[in-house]
Amino acid sequence: MKIAIIGGGPAGLYSAILLKKQRPEAEITVYERNRADDTFGFGVVFSDATLDNFEKYDPPSYRRITQEFAYWDDIAVHFRGTVHRVGGNGFCGCSRRKLLLILQERARELGVSLLFEADIDDEARFADAELIVLADGINSRFREKHIEHFQPEVDVRSNMFAWMGSTRPLDAFTFIFQETEWGPFIAHAYQYEAGRSTWIFETDPATFKRAGLEGLNEKQSADRMAKIFGWFLGGHQLLTNRSMWRNFPMIRSKRWVKDNMVLLGDAKATAHFSIGSGTKLAMEDAIALADAMHRAPSVEAALQQYEEGRREEVEKTQHAADVSLVWFEHVDRFWDFDPVQFAFGVMTRAKAITYDNLTLRAPDFVSEVDKAFAKQVRARGFDVDIAKPVAPMFQPLKLREMTLANRAVVSPMCMYSAKEGVPGDFHLVHYGSRAIGGAGLIFTEMTCVGRDARITPGCTGLWNDEQEAAWRRIVDFVHANSAAKICLQLGHAGRKGATKLMWDGMDRPLEEGGWDVISASPIPYFPDSEVPREMDRAAMDAVKAAFVQAAERGKRCGFDMLELHCAHGYLLASFISPLTNQRTDAYGGSLANRLRFPLEVFEALRAAWPAHKPMSVRISATDWAEGGITGDDAVVIARAFAEAGVDLVDVSTGQTVRDAQPVYGRMFQTPFSDQVRNEARVATMCVGNITTADQVNTILAAGRADLVALGRPHLVDPSFMLRAAAWYGADGVFCPPQYLPGKEQIFRNSVRDRQDFDDLKIKAKPKTRAELKAEATKPLAAE
Ligand SMILES: Cc1cc2nc3c(=O)[nH]c(=O)nc-3n(C[C@H](O)[C@H](O)[C@H](O)COP(=O)(O)OP(=O)(O)OC[C@H]3O[C@@H](n4cnc5c(N)ncnc54)[C@H](O)[C@@H]3O)c2cc1C
Ligand SMILES: Cc1cc2nc3c(=O)[nH]c(=O)nc-3n(C[C@H](O)[C@H](O)[C@H](O)COP(=O)(O)O)c2cc1C
């Protein structure tokens, strides 16, 4: 078998090694345009898990690699004169040049032919090869040549970065966040061999310009960086090697395989340097390709298996890298944070590291985070314990005169079980049990302001006396039997009205018994949905009046808070999104115009609602669709409502148009809450696939939201909050006297359960290489 490999980087060389081991008879050639030791970059990083893989697949190169490596366990975050260190990270670094020399040597040993200074521009010369590996890096000529087939998507990120080196020794992966007269600079630095460290400098484009870096040569820009970070470099030099400033391209390719050609490493997909995964991904691609070639009966089947089997893992890493790079791009959002909260944000930015996970690894750090959080709460007038604070989710919050005992919220959820808008016994039990369960705040489902404002025939309403009495019964129960506050969510279904109950076909039009449907523009939700009537001014006045009347009823019911539903494609959302609002009058066109009617309704409600009670607005912070609302628009929307007197923005996303492409995942809407909170400077509630108390604490401690709502988790566990309180030992959480024996038991058992769980986690975690090395080099105690 003949195999041609274009590119002698980590992907090309490692695939040559693994394929040659598998097929010693194969004729494998690596074509590299550079000379053998002619390489850019300084160090590369691998996690312990990646090294485990290398050990399994090729022990000889693994051994040589690990002999040359520098290990570290800690991450250190320097910010505003402070440094926070967190251990247990298990990483190592090595020189890229040495790595390539080791791989070249190993490849040669096995009988791979290495041809240097061989710049390949046409695959036709490999017509006799059964497999062609395209490992030609980030600017892959072959990916571009077959662009129609591979369909790469290149997202050039806004921040500028430059890769440099230094002689400054480092004992931790080091992040330095440096304020300068031009704006913030970030250094990502780590040691990769004795006396050598990698330094990646990053800054936003405006700071880059203001700092005059544009047009400087390598040496001049290195001198500028050395000046900025001189206090840390301590006289050590910065070294350059093609260290030009550039923008990072996030590359994703729709296809990785064409005939017998396969893209590997950076050629097919990149991952931002802030998670240190470029070389790891390249070498793990080589492993996946070799595995597929081993298993599959033909090259064609192997390439298919490689692409199918590997894609999910690569996309997961890319997603983590995306989340991380966005954090760094918006670091100015957190610049005025308490340094320990800032450091917590750095650690938890990519979702893999959480509050509980850090509690195990760095309990003192988390205790400091908790204290800083408690201090902020105390600064708002609460007499909370600062010396031994409870976890963030158990800290109180005040909105106007309403005090919430904790930060966990039952998200608004339609039960589709009302009769003519009247909530019944089901609703009493549903809301009552969740209030007893300990959440600080309970939202009602979207409660409709008129019969024709309903989504479905099962929706609750608040337009007549019977409904008002039924809601008052529920509110009274909540107040009499729990510490929870209850918020009324008012809405109008708009073009999503007159549809079936959730379990009969969500958003599908009713076959009979429907009603008049209105919207900002006459665009049906599904092609076969009823075409809504475009609202004229008289219809707007009628809707506004209906909202105000419902709020008046809500006031009489004794609700603690009022939320205006402007999300999920319902009536008011249909005004805000340009995809559903095509009006040419004063209520269409610019975002300011599209916001006019929702703001008008909000202002009318604010005037009707008691001044001492808070109001929130729920928004879809993105439509997840081309041409729709984006996170940046959400900031403008939030500011507009804040100016109109909103106390909290409830940040949801999507559900506005049918062809949306949401990117789901754990806590997938939290970045929007983060953006709104820290750019518009308004309190937010986040929601969406948040399922554990650990996630709730992570979000709150990192300052990404002020409240966290859980919807589906509360459907199956009304006592979510009480369980969480038991887990964290926060016994201040409310429990009705009737249930106290249960509370005592779960609190007692949780102490032991948590201890067992932590012990198990610690036992199950293998020692990091840094720990093993430290043990091996520790002098023996004198006997
Ligand atoms: C300037 C720069 C500096 C970097 N520094 C670091 C660093 O210090 N640490 C780190 O972890 N990561 C670094 N990276 C990222 C990292 O190099 C990649 O993620 C990783 O090397 C990907 O491996 P690869 O084999 O896919 O591609 P590469 O390592 O880029 O290898 C591709 C190889 O293909 C060769 N090639 C390209 N076209 C042809 C052709 N037509 N014919 C023959 N040969 C060809 C190139 O010369 C190159 O050697 C850096 C990237 C850049 C752009
Ligand atoms: C059955 C059900 C009904 C819902 N009804 C409403 C509603 O009436 N108003 C609203 O704003 N959101 C509604 N939502 C959305 C939730 O409030 C929440 O934003 C969503 O479920 C994501 O959170 P989760 O992952 O915690 O469930 C509903 C969700 C579910 C599952």
Side-chain angles (χ1 to χ4, degrees):
M1 175 185 255
K2 225 176 173 175
I3 300 176
I5 299 178
I6 305 172
L13 289 170
Y14 206 50
S15 58
I17 292 168
L18 300 184
L19 291 171
K20 187 70 183 171
K21 279 177 67 168
Q22 210 175 73
R23 300 157 196 255
E25 78 298 341
E27 204 181 297
I28 301 181
T29 310
V30 177
Y31 299 86
E32 167 56 50
R33 67 178 170 199
N34 292 334
R35 287 171 305 197
D37 61 351
D38 185 24
T39 178
F40 60 75
F42 294 91
V44 298
V45 284
F46 296 123
S47 67
D48 275 336
T50 306
L51 287 175
D52 289 344
N53 253 342
F54 295 169
E55 184 172 20
K56 184 167 148 210
Y57 280 86
D58 187 47
S61 59
Y62 162 80
R63 273 196 299 276
R64 280 177 236 170
I65 289 169
T66 47
Q67 275 158 15
E68 302 283 350
F69 270 34
Y71 297 98
W72 68 84
D73 221 20
D74 287 5
I75 291 182
V77 179
H78 295 254
F79 179 58
R80 286 217 309 261
T82 63
V83 49
H84 290 97
R85 287 179 81 103
V86 174
N89 297 286
F91 271 97
C92 64
C94 135
S95 128
R96 176 175 154 98
R97 187 169 167 276
K98 275 204 184 130
L99 172 72
L100 292 183
L101 293 177
I102 290 169
L103 296 180
Q104 287 169 14
E105 188 188 26
R106 175 75 178 133
R108 263 194 220 97
E109 229 169 67
L110 289 165
V112 172
S113 307
L114 302 179
L115 289 186
F116 291 95
E117 297 180 76
D119 192 346
I120 308 298
D121 57 8
D122 188 3
E123 71 274 21
R125 63 187 275 188
F126 307 122
D128 59 342
E130 275 163 76
L131 171 65
I132 304 174
V133 177
L134 307 174
D136 53 343
I138 203 160
N139 299 315
S140 172
R141 182 181 286 164
F142 292 91
R143 184 190 64 223
E144 294 307 302
K145 187 171 169 188
H146 300 287
I147 194 163
E148 299 289 322
H149 179 84
F150 291 124
Q151 297 185 38
E153 180 197 306
V154 182
D155 173 15
V156 179
R157 303 305 309 185
S158 60
N159 269 9
M160 305 295 296
F161 78 98
W163 226 294
M164 299 189 194
S166 174
T167 49
R168 166 73 155 94
L170 297 167
D171 61 354
F173 192 108
T174 303
F175 290 110
I176 308 174
F177 297 87
Q178 184 68 44
E179 177 74 57
T180 70
E181 58 190 283
W182 308 290
F185 276 86
I186 307 163
H188 311 233
Y190 57 90
Q191 182 147 350
Y192 59 87
E193 63 183 25
R196 283 284 186 280
S197 44
T198 294
W199 285 70
I200 307 164
F201 296 109
E202 179 179 7
T203 191
D204 62 87
T207 304
F208 181 78
K209 260 204 182 131
R210 281 193 293 267
L213 284 159
E214 229 170 359
L216 295 191
N217 64 27
E218 262 181 291
K219 164 88 177 66
Q220 290 166 326
S221 77
D223 287 348
R224 178 67 51 88
M225 289 302 108
K227 244 196 199 138
I228 293 174
F229 292 94
W231 65 271
F232 187 85
L233 287 165
H236 285 272
Q237 280 179 4
L238 281 182
L239 314 167
T240 57
N241 179 358
R242 296 203 214 168
S243 306
M244 302 313 296
W245 287 88
R246 64 191 77 207
N247 300 86
F248 190 83
M250 277 302 290
I251 298 174
R252 295 176 155 83
S253 303
K254 191 147 188 212
R255 295 203 187 95
W256 299 354
V257 174
K258 180 176 190 308
D259 309 322
N260 64 340
M261 294 190 291
V262 57
L263 290 170
L264 242 63
D266 275 4
K268 64 161 210 326
T270 57
H272 192 249
F273 53 80
S274 61
I275 63 162
S277 294
T279 309
K280 158 206 151 81
L281 277 182
M283 291 175 69
E284 287 179 349
D285 283 352
I287 290 175
L289 176 66
D291 270 350
M293 286 288 285
H294 179 64
R295 273 195 314 264
S298 65
V299 169
E300 192 189 355
L303 297 190
Q304 205 180 334
Q305 271 186 25
Y306 158 74
E307 176 161 353
E308 277 168 13
R310 178 88 181 121
R311 193 172 272 282
E312 192 183 330
E313 184 60 31
V314 170
E315 287 179 354
K316 255 175 36 196
T317 308
Q318 284 193 295
H319 179 65
D322 277 349
V323 175
S324 173
L325 75 84
V326 168
W327 194 93
F328 283 101
E329 281 175 356
H330 298 287
V331 69
D332 57 328
R333 281 183 198 158
F334 317 106
W335 215 251
D336 61 353
F337 272 29
D338 182 290
V340 73
Q341 186 174 35
F342 182 93
F344 185 85
V346 178
M347 293 302 303
T348 56
R349 68 189 186 280
K351 301 200 281 196
I353 297 176
T354 64
Y355 180 90
D356 281 3
N357 170 281
L358 284 171
T359 304
L360 266 184
R361 290 154 47 170
D364 293 346
F365 173 65
V366 176
S367 153
E368 224 192 301
V369 171
D370 286 347
K371 283 179 187 163
F373 198 93
K375 270 191 202 147
Q376 288 169 14
V377 174
R378 185 179 270 252
R380 292 182 178 246
F382 288 100
D383 184 23
V384 293
D385 189 347
I386 295 188
K388 269 188 100 200
V390 283
M393 71 188 289
F394 307 105
Q395 293 286 1
L397 178 79
K398 195 168 172 188
L399 296 170
R400 296 207 182 204
E401 296 298 307
M402 180 186 80
T403 297
L404 302 177
N406 61 61
R407 309 282 181 124
V409 176
V410 178
S411 201
M413 282 180 291
C414 261
M415 292 292 107
Y416 308 99
S417 304
K419 300 261 175 325
E420 280 299 318
V422 182
D425 288 351
F426 178 87
H427 296 87
L428 178 69
V429 174
H430 169 69
Y431 291 111
S433 52
R434 273 140 198 89
I436 289 173
L441 178 63
I442 313 267
F443 275 72
T444 70
E445 60 204 275
M446 177 169 126
T447 297
C448 307
V449 297
R451 195 173 187 279
D452 288 359
R454 291 176 303 166
I455 314 168
T456 74
C459 289
T460 54
L462 194 42
W463 67 85
N464 65 32
D465 292 347
E466 197 187 347
Q467 293 155 354
E468 187 180 318
W471 275 120
R472 190 178 317 118
R473 176 171 168 243
I474 292 168
V475 174
D476 287 349
F477 180 90
V478 169
H479 287 158
N481 295 286
S482 80
K485 303 290 186 220
I486 180 161
C487 175
L488 168 66
Q489 186 188 59
L490 285 182
H492 187 302
R495 69 178 190 148
K496 287 169 113 178
T499 54
K500 295 181 180 175
L501 304 183
M502 175 179 72
W503 43 86
D504 290 337
M506 185 95 166
D507 299 327
R508 299 294 311 156
L510 285 172
E511 274 141 32
E512 52 192 45
W515 49 85
D516 186 29
V517 173
I518 53 176
S519 191
S521 295
I523 311 166
Y525 187 65
F526 284 111
D528 62 341
S529 297
E530 193 176 324
V531 178
R533 184 164 52 81
E534 179 175 300
M535 287 174 79
D536 57 15
R537 188 59 237 187
M540 288 186 209
D541 288 340
V543 163
K544 187 166 71 174
F547 267 102
V548 171
Q549 277 163 24
E552 296 286 358
R553 288 184 183 277
K555 191 160 69 179
R556 289 198 291 271
C557 291
F559 280 105
D560 302 292
M561 179 175 167
L562 182 64
E563 173 162 287
L564 179 62
H565 201 328
C566 292
H568 301 168
Y570 298 116
L571 184 71
L572 297 176
S574 78
F575 274 84
I576 300 175
S577 171
L579 302 175
T580 47
N581 180 344
Q582 294 175 355
R583 301 174 71 101
T584 51
D585 61 4
Y587 304 94
S590 66
L591 178 54
N593 280 1
R594 300 195 312 268
L595 271 171
R596 188 169 303 209
F597 182 57
L599 280 173
E600 206 182 292
V601 174
F602 180 84
E603 280 159 4
L605 288 186
R606 190 57 275 182
W609 190 242
H612 67 283
K613 291 190 178 186
M615 276 189 70
S616 61
V617 60
R618 181 165 253 208
I619 61 169
S620 284
T622 174
D623 288 328
W624 297 112
E626 192 72 29
I629 293 290
T630 63
D632 289 345
D633 294 328
V635 173
V636 177
I637 295 167
R639 280 203 186 108
F641 278 106
E643 270 168 34
V646 93
D647 303 291
L648 179 87
V649 179
D650 173 0
V651 185
S652 186
T653 68
Q655 300 175 49
T656 36
V657 287
R658 284 305 306 158
D659 53 355
Q661 302 274 325
V663 182
Y664 292 119
R666 276 172 297 160
M667 308 182 270
F668 73 110
Q669 296 175 155
T670 302
F672 296 96
S673 162
D674 187 341
Q675 181 173 9
V676 168
R677 178 178 194 266
N678 296 309
E679 285 189 16
R681 302 282 158 175
V682 50
T684 62
M685 176 166 88
C686 72
V687 64
N689 219 5
I690 298 162
T691 53
T692 65
D694 180 22
Q695 290 168 352
V696 176
N697 280 318
T698 307
I699 291 166
L700 293 169
R704 311 185 80 188
D706 297 273
L707 290 174
V708 179
L710 300 100
R712 290 164 295 173
H714 271 121
L715 287 183
V716 290
D717 187 0
S719 299
F720 177 93
M721 191 57 180
L722 190 62
R723 280 180 199 284
W727 187 251
Y728 288 98
D731 62 5
V733 77
F734 174 84
C735 176
Q738 296 91 330
Y739 294 174
L740 277 176
K743 180 184 175 190
E744 282 157 14
Q745 185 186 47
I746 191 176
F747 269 69
R748 209 170 37 244
N749 290 348
S750 277
V751 175
R752 201 186 48 228
D753 291 349
R754 173 134 203 188
Q755 191 56 50
D756 289 351
F757 185 74
D758 288 354
D759 287 351
L760 207 72
K761 272 196 151 169
I762 291 167
K763 273 195 207 125
K765 186 180 173 295
K767 286 213 158 95
T768 66
R769 280 170 174 76
E771 286 165 338
L772 291 171
K773 193 175 174 189
E775 268 176 21
T777 52
K778 202 162 61 185
L780 288 176
E783 281 180 58

